[in-house]
Amino acid sequence: MDTFIEKVVDFGVKKFKSISDFDENLETLERYVKQLLDKALDVKTEVDNREQSGRRKRKREVESWFHEVTKIEEELRALKEVVTRGKKNGGVLEKMNGRVGELLEQSKHFGTLVHDMYEPEECPLLASQFNDKISKQNLEVIWTWLQDENVSSIGIYGMGGVGKTTLVKHIHNRLVKEIHYQVCWVTVSQGFTIKGLQYELAKILKLDLSDEVDEHRRAAKLNWAFKNRKKIVIILDDVWDRLCLEKLGYSLGMEGCRLILTSRSSEVCLKIGCQKLREVKNLNSDDAWELFRKSLGCETLVSPDIEPIAKSLAGRCKGLPLGLITLGGSMRGVTDIREWKNALKEFPDDMESDVFKVLQYSYDRLRDTNMQECFLYCALYPEDCEIGRDELIGRYMMEGMMKGDSREEEFNHGHTILNKLVKICLLEATSEGVRMHDLLREMALRITNVKPRYMVRDGIGSQVPEEQDWIFDLDKVSFLKSYIRGIPEDMAPNCPSLSSLLFSDCTLRWIPESFFQHMNNLQVLDLSYNSVLMDLPSCFSNLRSLRALSLRQCDQLRYVPPLGKLKNLRVLDVSYTGIKEVPQGMENLFKLKFLDMSGIGLDELPKEILRKLSHLQYLKLPLRVNAKIDDLSSLELLEEFKGRYCDLHNFNKFMRNRRNCEKDWWYDIRVMPKVSSAQCFLHHDSGNRRVEQRKVILQSFSLEADGGVPASIILPHCVQNLHIENCRGLRSCLVDSFQLQSTLRGLSCVIKHCDDIEWIVNVPDGRNTITKTDCICFHSLTVRYLRNLVGVCKGKIASHTFSGLTELCFNHCNRMKKLFPWAIVQDLKNIQVLWVQYCDEIEEIIGREEEGSSQSSNPQITSTTADLPKLKRLHLSVLPELKRICDGKLICDSLESMDFKWCPNLKRLPFFTPNTNGHPLPSLKRIEVKKSWWERLEWDQSHVKTLLQPYLIADDDEKLEGNQYHVKNHFRPY
């Protein structure tokens, strides 16, 4: 392979002699790209194999390399398309050859491809604190069993709502914190499938089972993964019936593996084979009262007059924690004794034996029908499902349940409702959204057996319920994630009141022509994520009451029936479907507020169609479509936009128009002349409907205006993410290329392959930026392949330019001698990641202070000690000329991880301790180096090396030995 790489390097640096050589050179390039892809496949296989343990993760430089290889493949495809039209650009071909060679050269210097993950991946789970003795005792008993090597399986049982899951959450957190176990937590629940549980476990274990159709082979792979773990605990929560552990890849007594399960039944625990059983019982009266008081919140003062009434109310829950928490939440903030008396009077005597009546009482106390509807709606999701907040509020909006004159106001209303439901303990807050306790969900489904009438089925098999099960007065029907394949022919449920039908993610293949015949009131139809759905019935066009239609990611769907009659439609999502035309009649949807067309094969929108949709607040266009400035400017209510402009002129014009609009907005805008199919695929937005960012990408065009003078880029208000790639005509100072109205704070910026840039910020002598109102303040800065970049900044820089910077990453900037000057070190107090690699000429990271320097806004800098108090990650690799990190001393009290790879001229690390008792890096967890390099280092304080030695991960592989690497032969990508 090394001989092959040398050939590619030689080929890349040769000049193409004439255009007559083009075809031959293109064929040669294709062969080399093919071998590069083969190399990438080999690397990926090795990385995937090493990651299967779940304890290792690919290095960022490897991930970036994969990304660059993918780009080369797409650019070659685009180049060949251009060649078929008779255009031959030898310069582009030469540059691409150079990059192929550089990528292959880079692959020689990876060293290890993955790094160990020393911090546990499992985050502590949110769990209410134990205040009662019984719960603490249960925890200690189970913990003692876990210390016993002879105990491999533990069963925890008790009635619903008694606190089994909370107990296991505490066990989970203690395992992760104290013993560093890997914990696999899977919620089983009613209606589970073995396949679903297998995939849940595989996801936790970082195991890919997507190609395995056989249940036994999936189990075998899981078993292999379990055996490769030294310490692992499997937690199966809420098990309702006996299940075969072998089908999950686990067998009782497996070395290094433990099993904990929770169930409402001790019999289930015994049938599965648990060695030890522990019952979780209701709280005694004292502990129950304390939990109830805590659930009232600190804002609820229980006076001596109220206390006996409150104790009587708490006593009705019979010590059941869920009932106490829910009831306490419903009384939070109540301080009027008359309201307490009324609550006790309304609380029927017969509730004592029925937990659902206790829970429903808390629901009834909401008194707000809109909030009650929002709570009940959560029961349409599968049991124990974690529901994303934005997704849930988006559904509320589809149903017309939110108040507000804008999307922002409606989302604010939705978050307010969810916050209240969490506060009064009817919903549980999670890291990503909310969850409904299974007993509360069961209570909600009991309520919806009466009014409103819901039919909710999850995990029901391959067919929908029989037609007689579709009751006449149904209001909402949900089959979310139910794996239904089809609906019987001629089925026509008689449901004239049905308002919502959710068939999302059901593997639905077909819908009979008659199905919607008696659903004249249908307002919300969700058929999203049915990737095998190919046709829609023609009667679909007659659903005149429809407010919202989602066909998202029905990628086999090639045709949507005419929509012209659906004039009540507010939401239309056809993203990532197989359609290539705008649905007929879409121009008549005058009430439309939400339109998502991203990811479809549409090249152009019909003229002036957007002008007719003047109520649009949310718009995502296909990446192939060039946004029309006049059409978009007419959308005065637009709040969220994602799309593309093919030229800078129209982009700037649109930005000028938006400046006159007072409405705040979110956007994801690309400015690029042409788009390939691969770029459309990479533009996939991962299912998040909200734009939720302010992002601009400038790619592959020239900014030179008439006369060769660089044009200015008008950046939109409050832009947060800016990506610039393969652009010509930028000014030598990056920030001078932008036209700003006000200061841009917190900008995350990525710049790649822009040859004109010499400085990110360059302030000429005599120019003052300290008091400027229009400047850029960086949050992160990633720079790759800028062959003429001299450094980050020059001149008298305003301190706020870099004071918010948290991440600084530089790759392949081969002219740069130093990264940034000593004068701005005091501005880098928030930097957390510093990553520099493949910069051939760099000699120092923090440059020496020059005499008479005026670079800093603070002229008092004389210290030789640099303090980067928040720096956590330092990565320096393949920097052949690097001589020093800094000339003085460096304090990094937060530094956790360091990597030094092939920096042969770096002889000294600048870390020190003021005395022999202190540690130079108190937060350190790992140092990854080559062993021989580490042994050659010189130390100002000999004891520092001893203090750092325990964190060392030394690689004996000397592939990057200095005598095998010569800078004069080091390949450059240009």
Side-chain angles (χ1 to χ4, degrees):
M1 180 59 77
D2 287 349
T3 304
F4 159 66
I5 293 174
E6 290 172 6
K7 289 181 179 179
V8 177
V9 172
D10 291 342
F11 175 62
V13 298
K14 287 179 182 177
K15 298 293 183 183
F16 289 83
K17 295 179 181 179
S18 69
I19 197 67
S20 62
D21 298 327
F22 186 91
D23 293 339
E24 181 181 346
N25 290 327
L26 180 59
E27 290 178 7
T28 306
L29 173 62
E30 287 182 87
R31 289 198 304 272
Y32 288 148
V33 170
K34 171 65 168 60
Q35 294 184 58
L36 174 63
L37 294 175
D38 290 342
K39 174 71 174 177
L41 185 60
D42 291 340
V43 173
K44 187 176 186 304
T45 300
E46 185 174 351
V47 168
D48 288 345
N49 287 338
R50 294 188 182 187
E51 284 182 331
Q52 279 191 344
S53 68
R55 289 297 188 184
R56 292 180 174 180
K57 183 178 180 181
R58 67 190 66 187
K59 291 199 242 177
R60 274 175 66 173
E61 66 173 311
V62 175
E63 186 63 38
S64 297
W65 185 81
F66 282 140
H67 178 72
E68 293 297 327
V69 171
T70 302
K71 281 186 57 182
I72 283 286
E73 183 182 14
E74 302 309 332
E75 289 173 12
L76 177 60
R77 187 179 295 113
L79 177 64
K80 290 167 68 178
E81 289 177 3
V82 171
V83 170
T84 59
R85 297 195 292 270
K87 297 181 181 180
K88 300 182 178 181
N89 188 329
V92 173
L93 188 60
E94 179 183 359
K95 185 176 179 180
M96 193 177 296
N97 272 287
R99 287 174 61 200
V100 171
E102 196 280 332
L103 286 169
L104 284 161
E105 177 71 15
Q106 183 179 350
S107 71
K108 293 172 60 180
H109 307 304
F110 282 145
T112 56
L113 299 171
V114 297
H115 59 74
D116 292 328
M117 298 170 64
Y118 288 90
E119 296 182 15
E121 288 188 54
E122 296 85 14
C123 297
L125 300 175
L126 296 174
S128 57
Q129 292 299 314
F130 287 146
N131 294 314
D132 62 287
K133 294 180 181 178
I134 294 176
S135 297
K136 293 177 180 177
Q137 187 180 26
N138 287 336
L139 178 61
E140 292 307 319
V141 168
I142 294 169
W143 190 252
T144 302
W145 288 342
L146 286 170
Q147 311 307 305
D148 187 345
E149 294 182 357
N150 296 317
V151 178
S152 62
S153 54
I154 299 169
I156 301 169
Y157 69 95
M159 68 179 295
V162 80
K164 301 182 296 296
T165 299
T166 301
L167 174 60
V168 179
K169 283 181 178 179
H170 281 279
I171 295 168
H172 169 280
N173 294 345
R174 196 162 170 181
L175 282 168
V176 171
K177 180 181 179 181
E178 296 188 18
I179 307 186
H180 300 294
Y181 267 89
Q182 183 177 8
V183 186
C184 293
W185 180 301
V186 176
T187 302
V188 181
S189 301
Q190 296 185 72
F192 74 89
T193 64
I194 291 296
K195 182 178 180 181
L197 294 180
Q198 287 177 332
Y199 277 115
E200 285 296 316
L201 287 168
K203 190 192 306 180
I204 297 168
L205 296 169
K206 305 292 189 297
L207 189 64
D208 184 9
L209 297 181
S210 58
D211 295 332
E212 292 295 346
V213 295
D214 182 72
E215 181 181 277
H216 301 292
R217 288 187 61 81
R218 290 195 298 268
K221 281 195 171 185
L222 286 168
N223 181 262
W224 176 86
F226 286 137
K227 286 181 178 179
N228 278 274
R229 265 64 169 185
K230 293 181 180 179
K231 290 183 177 181
I232 188 166
V233 174
I234 302 168
I235 296 177
L236 302 179
D237 187 34
D238 198 17
V239 180
W240 282 73
D241 204 350
R242 181 180 180 181
L243 55 82
C244 180
L245 296 177
E246 284 75 13
K247 291 182 179 180
L248 303 182
Y250 177 81
S251 56
L252 289 173
M254 186 187 297
E255 185 179 356
C257 295
R258 305 289 184 89
L259 172 70
I260 301 174
L261 65 86
T262 72
S263 177
R264 296 187 189 182
S265 166
S266 60
E267 187 178 355
V268 169
C269 300
L270 290 170
K271 285 182 177 179
I272 291 176
C274 293
Q275 291 173 281
K276 297 288 186 179
L277 268 63
R278 187 72 176 178
E279 181 182 6
V280 180
K281 299 178 181 179
N282 288 7
L283 301 177
N284 61 43
S285 58
D286 291 338
D287 289 335
W289 168 239
E290 286 304 313
L291 180 58
F292 184 76
R293 282 178 61 101
K294 182 180 177 183
S295 301
L296 290 172
C298 57
E299 69 270 30
T300 309
L301 297 177
V302 180
S303 67
D305 292 339
I306 291 176
E307 184 170 325
I309 304 170
K311 282 187 174 181
S312 296
L313 197 60
R316 301 287 178 91
C317 297
K318 291 297 182 181
L320 185 68
L322 179 63
L324 291 160
I325 291 168
T326 307
L327 183 59
S330 72
M331 296 300 294
R332 187 171 291 172
V334 178
T335 57
D336 189 329
I337 191 171
R338 290 164 294 189
E339 194 170 344
W340 278 94
K341 287 180 178 180
N342 185 63
L344 184 61
K345 181 178 180 297
E346 288 181 346
F347 204 103
D349 293 335
D350 63 350
M351 280 194 181
E352 297 178 4
S353 60
D354 191 344
V355 64
F356 294 109
K357 291 181 180 179
V358 177
L359 301 180
Q360 183 165 347
Y361 175 78
S362 301
Y363 164 82
D364 291 337
R365 281 190 53 80
L366 287 173
R367 307 282 195 250
D368 182 331
T369 55
N370 185 230
M371 196 176 298
Q372 287 177 333
E373 287 178 6
C374 291
F375 168 74
L376 295 176
Y377 195 93
C378 296
L380 295 172
Y381 283 85
E383 185 178 347
D384 289 307
C385 178
E386 185 174 2
I387 312 169
R389 276 179 167 253
D390 285 346
E391 178 195 338
L392 181 56
I393 297 170
R395 289 190 182 276
Y396 289 164
M397 292 164 66
M398 290 165 67
E399 299 276 353
M401 296 161 63
M402 295 293 96
K403 298 175 183 177
D405 296 326
S406 66
R407 282 181 62 80
E408 187 70 23
E409 289 180 7
E410 290 187 68
F411 267 101
N412 291 342
H413 184 212
H415 283 295
T416 300
I417 286 177
L418 292 181
N419 290 342
K420 287 181 179 178
L421 291 172
V422 169
K423 186 177 181 180
I424 63 177
C425 305
L426 286 175
L427 290 180
E428 173 190 346
T430 67
S431 58
E432 300 295 329
V434 295
R435 180 185 285 114
M436 180 179 260
H437 191 282
D438 56 351
L439 279 179
L440 284 164
R441 180 176 183 267
E442 198 170 332
M443 181 267 291
L445 292 177
R446 289 188 179 199
I447 293 172
T448 56
N449 274 334
V450 184
K451 190 172 183 177
R453 295 294 292 269
Y454 287 8
M455 181 167 69
V456 181
R457 301 287 189 274
D458 50 333
I460 61 172
S462 60
Q463 293 292 329
V464 298
E466 298 293 332
E467 192 166 320
Q468 60 266 24
D469 294 329
W470 293 69
I471 303 169
F472 181 80
D473 60 346
L474 274 175
D475 182 64
K476 300 184 191 302
V477 172
S478 173
F479 300 98
L480 292 175
K481 302 181 181 180
S482 290
Y483 305 106
I484 295 169
R485 295 193 175 184
I487 300 171
E489 288 293 338
D490 301 324
M491 187 175 185
N494 187 17
C495 299
S497 301
L498 187 65
S499 65
S500 303
L501 180 57
L502 310 182
F503 270 118
S504 178
D505 198 7
C506 294
T507 62
L508 190 64
R509 294 178 180 272
W510 69 85
I511 302 173
E513 186 66 35
S514 59
F515 187 69
F516 297 112
Q517 185 175 338
H518 305 301
M519 298 182 184
N520 297 328
N521 189 53
L522 192 62
Q523 297 176 32
V524 175
L525 178 59
D526 184 1
L527 298 170
S528 59
Y529 299 99
N530 287 298
S531 59
V532 291
L533 181 64
M534 301 183 68
D535 295 295
L536 296 174
S538 59
C539 65
F540 183 88
S541 299
N542 296 320
L543 299 174
R544 297 173 185 263
S545 299
L546 211 59
R547 288 176 51 93
L549 171 63
S550 179
L551 301 170
R552 181 182 182 84
Q553 214 156 315
C554 297
D555 47 358
Q556 297 299 314
L557 189 65
R558 300 287 185 263
Y559 172 73
V560 175
L563 304 178
K565 296 180 182 179
L566 310 185
K567 295 184 179 181
N568 200 43
L569 204 64
R570 267 79 164 175
V571 175
L572 177 60
D573 189 344
V574 292
S575 59
Y576 302 100
T577 60
I579 67 172
K580 296 186 178 181
E581 305 181 335
V582 169
Q584 184 181 336
M586 196 174 84
E587 66 278 5
N588 296 327
L589 307 180
F590 305 119
K591 295 183 180 180
L592 203 63
K593 294 183 178 182
F594 177 108
L595 176 59
D596 192 343
M597 304 180 72
S598 50
I600 65 173
L602 183 69
D603 293 319
E604 189 174 1
L605 283 176
K607 286 187 177 180
E608 299 191 350
I609 190 170
L610 292 181
R611 289 175 178 266
K612 297 177 180 180
L613 307 178
S614 59
H615 288 88
L616 278 178
Q617 299 173 342
Y618 177 106
L619 175 63
K620 282 188 180 180
L621 295 176
L623 194 58
R624 291 179 182 274
V625 170
N626 176 32
K628 303 295 184 184
I629 173 65
D630 294 334
D631 289 349
L632 283 178
S633 297
S634 68
L635 302 178
E636 296 180 358
L637 302 178
L638 194 64
E639 297 178 50
E640 298 181 52
F641 171 66
K642 185 173 184 178
R644 176 183 73 95
Y645 280 96
C646 69
D647 62 85
L648 185 62
H649 172 75
N650 280 307
F651 170 75
N652 281 343
K653 187 176 178 181
F654 180 56
M655 289 303 109
R656 291 189 189 98
N657 289 342
R658 289 297 305 185
R659 281 180 175 175
N660 299 324
C661 179
E662 295 182 1
K663 185 177 289 293
D664 197 13
W665 65 309
W666 301 89
Y667 47 84
D668 183 348
I669 304 173
R670 295 199 173 212
V671 187
M672 51 197 304
K674 294 181 181 178
V675 180
S676 67
S677 299
Q679 284 171 321
C680 290
F681 175 78
L682 292 171
H683 199 49
H684 200 293
D685 63 4
S686 304
N688 186 10
R689 289 190 172 189
R690 298 208 72 186
V691 176
E692 286 193 307
Q693 59 183 340
R694 295 181 173 96
K695 181 177 183 179
V696 173
I697 298 176
L698 306 166
Q699 188 171 352
S700 302
F701 63 88
S702 174
L703 279 75
E704 289 182 352
D706 294 338
V709 179
S712 291
I713 304 166
I714 300 177
L715 291 178
H717 178 62
C718 293
V719 63
Q720 295 168 330
N721 294 280
L722 177 64
H723 290 220
I724 307 171
E725 184 173 355
N726 281 322
C727 290
R728 301 187 307 278
L730 286 163
R731 300 172 194 263
S732 62
C733 170
L734 172 71
V735 299
D736 288 345
S737 296
F738 304 113
Q739 190 180 129
L740 309 175
Q741 288 288 334
S742 59
T743 296
L744 291 180
R745 296 198 176 276
L747 181 68
S748 295
C749 190
V750 177
I751 313 118
K752 298 192 290 187
H753 299 290
C754 297
D755 296 348
D756 302 288
I757 298 175
E758 296 180 359
W759 300 96
I760 305 301
V761 183
N762 183 2
V763 181
D765 292 340
R767 181 174 162 192
N768 184 10
T769 65
I770 297 175
T771 59
K772 283 192 68 176
T773 59
D774 55 334
C775 62
I776 294 177
C777 304
F778 291 97
H779 174 69
S780 69
L781 183 60
T782 300
V783 177
R784 296 176 182 166
Y785 300 100
L786 299 195
R787 66 176 182 178
N788 288 313
L789 186 74
V790 178
V792 174
C793 58
K794 179 182 179 183
K796 197 170 184 179
I797 310 300
S799 61
H800 52 253
T801 303
F802 297 109
S803 62
L805 189 69
T806 61
E807 188 166 326
L808 193 61
C809 302
F810 279 72
N811 293 350
H812 300 91
C813 298
N814 291 327
R815 185 181 168 192
M816 187 167 58
K817 296 283 188 182
K818 65 181 178 184
L819 186 61
F820 51 82
W822 186 276
I824 72 162
V825 170
Q826 83 281 0
D827 299 334
L828 301 176
K829 299 298 183 185
N830 288 303
I831 195 162
Q832 298 177 22
V833 176
L834 183 56
W835 187 289
V836 186
Q837 62 183 18
Y838 296 101
C839 296
D840 286 358
E841 303 298 330
I842 194 166
E843 296 178 359
E844 50 190 352
I845 303 301
I846 304 174
R848 297 183 181 186
E849 184 67 21
E850 300 175 4
E851 291 186 15
S853 172
S854 61
Q855 288 177 312
S856 173
S857 58
N858 180 4
Q860 304 301 320
I861 298 174
T862 57
S863 173
T864 58
T865 300
D867 186 8
L868 301 177
K870 294 186 180 180
L871 185 67
K872 294 182 177 181
R873 181 79 191 272
L874 176 63
H875 178 100
L876 304 175
S877 71
V878 193
L879 306 175
E881 297 299 324
L882 182 67
K883 295 179 175 60
R884 66 188 68 86
I885 295 175
C886 66
D887 197 39
K889 297 172 181 178
L890 188 60
I891 301 174
C892 302
D893 286 345
S894 300
L895 192 61
E896 298 176 358
S897 170
M898 293 191 290
D899 297 84
F900 299 98
K901 296 295 178 64
W902 214 81
C903 301
N905 290 307
L906 181 62
K907 309 293 186 184
R908 168 186 169 273
L909 297 182
F911 310 113
F912 78 105
T913 59
N915 55 67
T916 56
N917 295 324
H919 198 290
L921 302 169
S923 302
L924 191 65
K925 296 179 180 177
R926 59 182 290 277
I927 309 173
E928 189 168 343
V929 297
K930 293 292 179 184
K931 186 176 181 180
S932 58
W933 176 83
W934 178 261
E935 296 300 331
R936 291 196 298 267
L937 280 177
E938 301 168 2
W939 301 89
D940 294 338
Q941 297 174 301
S942 58
H943 69 280
V944 170
K945 179 180 180 181
T946 304
L947 291 171
L948 298 182
Q949 196 79 26
Y951 307 99
L952 201 65
I953 304 171
D955 188 351
D956 292 327
D957 182 3
E958 294 298 324
K959 288 180 181 178
L960 298 181
E961 193 66 28
N963 61 3
Q964 296 181 22
Y965 187 99
H966 302 283
V967 175
K968 65 180 181 179
N969 291 328
H970 180 49
F971 189 80
R972 292 170 173 76
Y974 299 98

mmCIF file of all heavy atoms in Angstrom, residues 279-293:
data_model
loop_
_atom_site.group_PDB
_atom_site.id
_atom_site.type_symbol
_atom_site.label_atom_id
_atom_site.label_comp_id
_atom_site.label_asym_id
_atom_site.label_seq_id
_atom_site.Cartn_x
_atom_site.Cartn_y
_atom_site.Cartn_z
ATOM 1 N N GLU A 279 -39.462 -7.210 47.720
ATOM 2 C CA GLU A 279 -40.742 -6.535 47.529
ATOM 3 C C GLU A 279 -40.616 -5.070 47.946
ATOM 4 O O GLU A 279 -40.038 -4.748 48.979
ATOM 5 C CB GLU A 279 -41.836 -7.200 48.356
ATOM 6 C CG GLU A 279 -43.203 -6.541 48.172
ATOM 7 C CD GLU A 279 -44.290 -7.156 49.027
ATOM 8 O OE1 GLU A 279 -43.977 -8.036 49.874
ATOM 9 O OE2 GLU A 279 -45.456 -6.759 48.861
ATOM 10 N N VAL A 280 -41.159 -4.178 47.111
ATOM 11 C CA VAL A 280 -41.238 -2.763 47.459
ATOM 12 C C VAL A 280 -42.656 -2.503 47.956
ATOM 13 O O VAL A 280 -43.629 -2.666 47.215
ATOM 14 C CB VAL A 280 -40.917 -1.862 46.243
ATOM 15 C CG1 VAL A 280 -41.000 -0.393 46.638
ATOM 16 C CG2 VAL A 280 -39.531 -2.184 45.697
ATOM 17 N N LYS A 281 -42.768 -2.122 49.236
ATOM 18 C CA LYS A 281 -44.080 -1.959 49.857
ATOM 19 C C LYS A 281 -44.456 -0.485 49.953
ATOM 20 O O LYS A 281 -43.617 0.405 49.806
ATOM 21 C CB LYS A 281 -44.061 -2.578 51.259
ATOM 22 C CG LYS A 281 -43.753 -4.073 51.274
ATOM 23 C CD LYS A 281 -43.699 -4.606 52.694
ATOM 24 C CE LYS A 281 -43.373 -6.108 52.711
ATOM 25 N NZ LYS A 281 -43.295 -6.640 54.083
ATOM 26 N N ASN A 282 -45.743 -0.259 50.224
ATOM 27 C CA ASN A 282 -46.222 1.108 50.424
ATOM 28 C C ASN A 282 -45.544 1.737 51.634
ATOM 29 O O ASN A 282 -45.074 1.046 52.545
ATOM 30 C CB ASN A 282 -47.737 1.126 50.618
ATOM 31 C CG ASN A 282 -48.468 0.821 49.319
ATOM 32 O OD1 ASN A 282 -47.862 0.471 48.326
ATOM 33 N ND2 ASN A 282 -49.780 0.964 49.348
ATOM 34 N N LEU A 283 -45.510 3.070 51.656
ATOM 35 C CA LEU A 283 -44.879 3.798 52.748
ATOM 36 C C LEU A 283 -45.755 3.756 54.006
ATOM 37 O O LEU A 283 -46.988 3.686 53.916
ATOM 38 C CB LEU A 283 -44.661 5.255 52.340
ATOM 39 C CG LEU A 283 -43.801 5.506 51.094
ATOM 40 C CD1 LEU A 283 -43.748 6.988 50.786
ATOM 41 C CD2 LEU A 283 -42.400 4.944 51.271
ATOM 42 N N ASN A 284 -45.096 3.829 55.164
ATOM 43 C CA ASN A 284 -45.877 3.971 56.393
ATOM 44 C C ASN A 284 -46.413 5.403 56.480
ATOM 45 O O ASN A 284 -46.055 6.268 55.679
ATOM 46 C CB ASN A 284 -45.048 3.598 57.629
ATOM 47 C CG ASN A 284 -43.819 4.491 57.784
ATOM 48 O OD1 ASN A 284 -43.888 5.707 57.600
ATOM 49 N ND2 ASN A 284 -42.694 3.882 58.137
ATOM 50 N N SER A 285 -47.258 5.670 57.446
ATOM 51 C CA SER A 285 -47.967 6.956 57.492
ATOM 52 C C SER A 285 -47.013 8.140 57.643
ATOM 53 O O SER A 285 -47.229 9.201 57.031
ATOM 54 C CB SER A 285 -48.984 6.947 58.633
ATOM 55 O OG SER A 285 -48.335 6.683 59.875
ATOM 56 N N ASP A 286 -45.959 7.984 58.447
ATOM 57 C CA ASP A 286 -45.018 9.104 58.634
ATOM 58 C C ASP A 286 -44.259 9.429 57.351
ATOM 59 O O ASP A 286 -44.133 10.600 56.960
ATOM 60 C CB ASP A 286 -44.032 8.777 59.753
ATOM 61 C CG ASP A 286 -44.693 8.750 61.122
ATOM 62 O OD1 ASP A 286 -45.769 9.381 61.265
ATOM 63 O OD2 ASP A 286 -44.153 8.092 62.030
ATOM 64 N N ASP A 287 -43.728 8.372 56.705
ATOM 65 C CA ASP A 287 -42.988 8.591 55.464
ATOM 66 C C ASP A 287 -43.910 9.093 54.353
ATOM 67 O O ASP A 287 -43.514 9.914 53.517
ATOM 68 C CB ASP A 287 -42.307 7.290 55.013
ATOM 69 C CG ASP A 287 -41.141 6.911 55.931
ATOM 70 O OD1 ASP A 287 -40.575 7.821 56.562
ATOM 71 O OD2 ASP A 287 -40.819 5.707 56.016
ATOM 72 N N ALA A 288 -45.138 8.619 54.349
ATOM 73 C CA ALA A 288 -46.101 9.073 53.350
ATOM 74 C C ALA A 288 -46.378 10.562 53.524
ATOM 75 O O ALA A 288 -46.459 11.318 52.538
ATOM 76 C CB ALA A 288 -47.396 8.270 53.461
ATOM 77 N N TRP A 289 -46.536 11.011 54.755
ATOM 78 C CA TRP A 289 -46.785 12.430 55.003
ATOM 79 C C TRP A 289 -45.599 13.289 54.575
ATOM 80 O O TRP A 289 -45.759 14.348 53.968
ATOM 81 C CB TRP A 289 -47.096 12.641 56.489
ATOM 82 C CG TRP A 289 -47.094 14.089 56.915
ATOM 83 C CD1 TRP A 289 -46.312 14.659 57.853
ATOM 84 C CD2 TRP A 289 -47.933 15.132 56.414
ATOM 85 N NE1 TRP A 289 -46.591 16.004 57.984
ATOM 86 C CE2 TRP A 289 -47.589 16.315 57.101
ATOM 87 C CE3 TRP A 289 -48.936 15.178 55.441
ATOM 88 C CZ2 TRP A 289 -48.205 17.537 56.849
ATOM 89 C CZ3 TRP A 289 -49.559 16.407 55.186
ATOM 90 C CH2 TRP A 289 -49.198 17.559 55.893
ATOM 91 N N GLU A 290 -44.371 12.814 54.822
ATOM 92 C CA GLU A 290 -43.183 13.568 54.414
ATOM 93 C C GLU A 290 -43.102 13.686 52.891
ATOM 94 O O GLU A 290 -42.755 14.739 52.359
ATOM 95 C CB GLU A 290 -41.917 12.911 54.972
ATOM 96 C CG GLU A 290 -41.710 13.133 56.456
ATOM 97 C CD GLU A 290 -41.679 14.604 56.832
ATOM 98 O OE1 GLU A 290 -40.974 15.372 56.130
ATOM 99 O OE2 GLU A 290 -42.372 14.995 57.784
ATOM 100 N N LEU A 291 -43.414 12.598 52.192
ATOM 101 C CA LEU A 291 -43.394 12.637 50.730
ATOM 102 C C LEU A 291 -44.472 13.587 50.208
ATOM 103 O O LEU A 291 -44.241 14.339 49.258
ATOM 104 C CB LEU A 291 -43.597 11.229 50.154
ATOM 105 C CG LEU A 291 -43.599 11.114 48.625
ATOM 106 C CD1 LEU A 291 -42.296 11.652 48.025
ATOM 107 C CD2 LEU A 291 -43.817 9.665 48.197
ATOM 108 N N PHE A 292 -45.633 13.562 50.832
ATOM 109 C CA PHE A 292 -46.714 14.451 50.413
ATOM 110 C C PHE A 292 -46.310 15.916 50.626
ATOM 111 O O PHE A 292 -46.514 16.766 49.745
ATOM 112 C CB PHE A 292 -47.986 14.127 51.207
ATOM 113 C CG PHE A 292 -49.190 14.914 50.779
ATOM 114 C CD1 PHE A 292 -49.877 14.607 49.619
ATOM 115 C CD2 PHE A 292 -49.649 15.978 51.554
ATOM 116 C CE1 PHE A 292 -50.985 15.339 49.230
ATOM 117 C CE2 PHE A 292 -50.756 16.715 51.172
ATOM 118 C CZ PHE A 292 -51.429 16.398 50.006
ATOM 119 N N ARG A 293 -45.719 16.219 51.764
ATOM 120 C CA ARG A 293 -45.246 17.588 52.039
ATOM 121 C C ARG A 293 -44.219 18.030 50.995
ATOM 122 O O ARG A 293 -44.260 19.165 50.515
ATOM 123 C CB ARG A 293 -44.628 17.662 53.435
ATOM 124 C CG ARG A 293 -45.623 17.729 54.580
ATOM 125 C CD ARG A 293 -44.876 17.757 55.909
ATOM 126 N NE ARG A 293 -44.030 18.931 55.998
ATOM 127 C CZ ARG A 293 -44.355 20.041 56.691
ATOM 128 N NH1 ARG A 293 -45.499 20.104 57.344
ATOM 129 N NH2 ARG A 293 -43.537 21.062 56.747
#
